[in-house]
Amino acid sequence: MENRRSFLKKLALGASALALPKVMSAAKAPVSVPPTDIYTGPTVTPKGAGLPITGTFLDEISHDIPHQNWGEKEWDADFAHMKAMGIDTVIMIRSGYRKFITYPSKYLTAKRGCYTPHIDLLDMYLRLADKYGMKFWFGLYDSGRYWDTGDMSWEVEDNKYVIDEVWENYGQHHPSFGGWYISGEISRATKGAIESFHAMGKQCKDVSGGLPTFISPWIDGKKAVAAAGAALTKEDAVSVAEHEREWSEIFDGIHDVVDACAFQDGHIDYDELDAFFEVNKRMADKYGMQCWTNAESFDRDMPIKFFPIKFEKLRLKLEAAKRAGYDKAITFEFSHFMSPQSAYAQAGHLYNRYRDYFGITES
């Protein structure tokens, strides 16, 4: 007579044997997967009414979003995704931050104790930009001393050497090397800002035969709060009039060596976009500068920082930029917050919503 344990063992084995052919059969059945996740139903607002994103930062040296640990295979695939979306410009957001750097700089390792990188990321980005027919903009070195002291003049000394070193070793050897990003981020009148932007912008232009330069400051709006804090908004936000007065003074001092300004768009509320964007365009036109928008593709409205933005919010910002007559839209940043291969699953869905909105069907 069988005991309870042996009976249950036989029962389990028998059930597995009976289920196995069904599992194998199901595995062989053809699976219909749509080639792309594009919405085909009706929309309430017009499609494609915003300014298309044609540029992105490359954030390989970061301090507030997680690293994805990609190698060249993953980066090559990401450049292909960018190209399919219409991106023609890539900007390395900084060539180094404090002791982490993107290329083997003799100056920064010897003088600042920076760590020698495992691979030469600058060389890789330039080769990929060459391959995909994109323009590459080099972001200057960020020592971190401005963030510690509030004085931008610290950045000038290190970048004197970085600019020359990079142009000699990389800039002259890649057709994709198309410009310079002066990576110091400010929001308002800042100690040494005009003098520092002017010195670095002039050197970039002088050494490279006049290649263009740009900056991407932030607006000191209600959402300009510390990334490490719990607050999402603040009370002491800049007014439109104060913003125009302070930035007119800065533009007046740098417009001869800085060709474009891409204000970050995430620090103001959505119903403030038109007022600030109109002022930004008016100032840029007055001083003969290109007016770009840095359309942030991450969400500043959530307590968890930072996730890919809801598409509706990105749409509102791009449509405001189009209404204001902006010249170009870039984003921070495609690889984390819009790429189909991002560590965030939401990023691939944002990519698809964007493609649907602009009618991009090929990938």
Side-chain angles (χ1 to χ4, degrees):
M1 186 173 181
E2 291 183 309
N3 60 30
R4 183 172 180 271
R5 178 176 294 179
S6 61
F7 173 76
L8 290 174
K9 185 176 181 181
K10 286 183 179 180
L11 185 62
L13 290 171
S16 298
L18 289 172
L20 186 59
K22 294 181 181 179
V23 172
M24 292 178 67
S25 176
K28 293 179 181 179
V31 178
S32 177
V33 178
T36 184
D37 178 19
I38 296 296
Y39 176 72
T40 57
T43 59
V44 178
T45 59
K47 288 188 175 183
L51 186 64
I53 294 172
T54 56
T56 182
F57 283 104
L58 304 172
D59 188 32
E60 186 63 12
I61 299 291
S62 180
H63 64 281
D64 56 7
I65 55 175
H67 204 283
Q68 300 195 106
N69 292 305
W70 288 352
E72 186 158 347
K73 178 182 177 181
E74 291 85 1
W75 277 111
D76 194 315
D78 223 47
F79 271 65
H81 290 309
M82 295 176 201
K83 187 77 173 180
M85 198 183 94
I87 287 175
D88 59 22
T89 304
V90 290
I91 308 116
M92 190 168 69
I93 194 164
R94 54 185 72 88
S95 53
Y97 178 63
R98 298 188 188 269
K99 289 193 175 184
F100 286 95
I101 53 179
T102 59
Y103 73 99
S105 167
K106 292 182 179 179
Y107 169 79
L108 292 174
T109 53
K111 298 296 184 180
R112 298 295 174 226
C114 292
Y115 310 127
T116 301
H118 175 57
I119 62 171
D120 189 336
L121 293 167
L122 176 54
D123 173 74
M124 181 189 71
Y125 286 146
L126 283 164
R127 286 187 287 104
L128 290 174
D130 290 343
K131 175 180 177 179
Y132 287 97
M134 298 178 180
K135 285 299 180 186
F136 173 89
W137 295 59
F138 176 82
L140 302 188
Y141 173 67
D142 183 346
S143 71
R145 286 180 289 178
Y146 158 65
W147 302 107
D148 296 335
T149 66
D151 184 350
M152 271 201 69
S153 62
W154 285 107
E155 305 309 312
V156 176
E157 184 63 25
D158 288 332
N159 280 297
K160 283 180 183 177
Y161 300 93
V162 168
I163 292 165
D164 286 346
E165 184 178 55
V166 165
W167 180 250
E168 179 181 353
N169 295 327
Y170 301 89
Q172 301 179 69
H173 311 294
H174 291 274
S176 61
F177 197 107
W180 307 84
Y181 170 55
I182 305 172
S183 58
E185 295 180 23
I186 66 173
S187 64
R188 306 182 70 163
T190 300
K191 184 180 180 181
I194 294 175
E195 296 79 8
S196 300
F197 279 148
H198 196 279
M200 291 185 284
K202 186 177 187 304
Q203 185 180 349
C204 287
K205 284 185 163 295
D206 287 348
V207 77
S208 64
L211 286 182
T213 65
F214 88 100
I215 59 174
S216 186
W218 42 286
I219 300 169
D220 195 21
K222 63 176 65 176
K223 290 191 278 187
V225 295
L232 296 178
T233 61
K234 65 177 185 178
E235 294 296 329
D236 57 335
V238 70
S239 69
V240 176
E242 288 173 318
H243 174 75
E244 183 171 17
R245 183 175 62 253
E246 293 177 355
W247 276 97
S248 290
E249 180 181 354
I250 296 171
F251 281 8
D252 185 62
I254 67 173
H255 70 277
D256 59 322
V257 294
V258 176
D259 298 280
C261 179
F263 279 105
Q264 301 168 27
D265 70 1
H267 296 93
I268 54 177
D269 218 340
Y270 304 100
D271 56 7
E272 299 177 300
L273 290 168
D274 286 300
F276 278 96
F277 282 16
E278 188 274 331
V279 162
N280 292 343
K281 185 65 167 71
R282 184 166 69 240
M283 289 190 294
D285 286 349
K286 177 180 177 181
Y287 290 101
M289 299 168 66
Q290 289 269 303
C291 188
W292 298 0
T293 187
N294 180 354
E296 293 179 343
S297 41
F298 64 93
D299 204 330
R300 290 187 180 273
D301 302 328
M302 299 178 64
I304 302 174
K305 302 167 183 176
F306 296 101
F307 283 157
I309 199 169
K310 180 180 179 180
F311 171 71
E312 291 297 332
K313 297 177 180 180
L314 181 61
R315 177 183 68 83
L316 290 173
K317 298 191 294 183
L318 294 176
E319 289 176 358
K322 183 70 173 289
R323 286 193 298 270
Y326 273 30
D327 299 296
K328 189 178 183 70
I330 62 175
T331 188
F332 183 88
E333 88 15 299
F334 178 87
S335 297
H336 280 88
F337 304 116
M338 293 191 77
S339 172
Q341 62 172 5
S342 167
Y344 298 115
Q346 306 96 320
H349 299 310
L350 178 59
Y351 180 76
N352 289 328
R353 299 291 74 73
Y354 178 92
R355 289 173 56 215
D356 166 56
Y357 175 72
F358 280 107
I360 302 169
T361 57
E362 295 183 4
S363 60

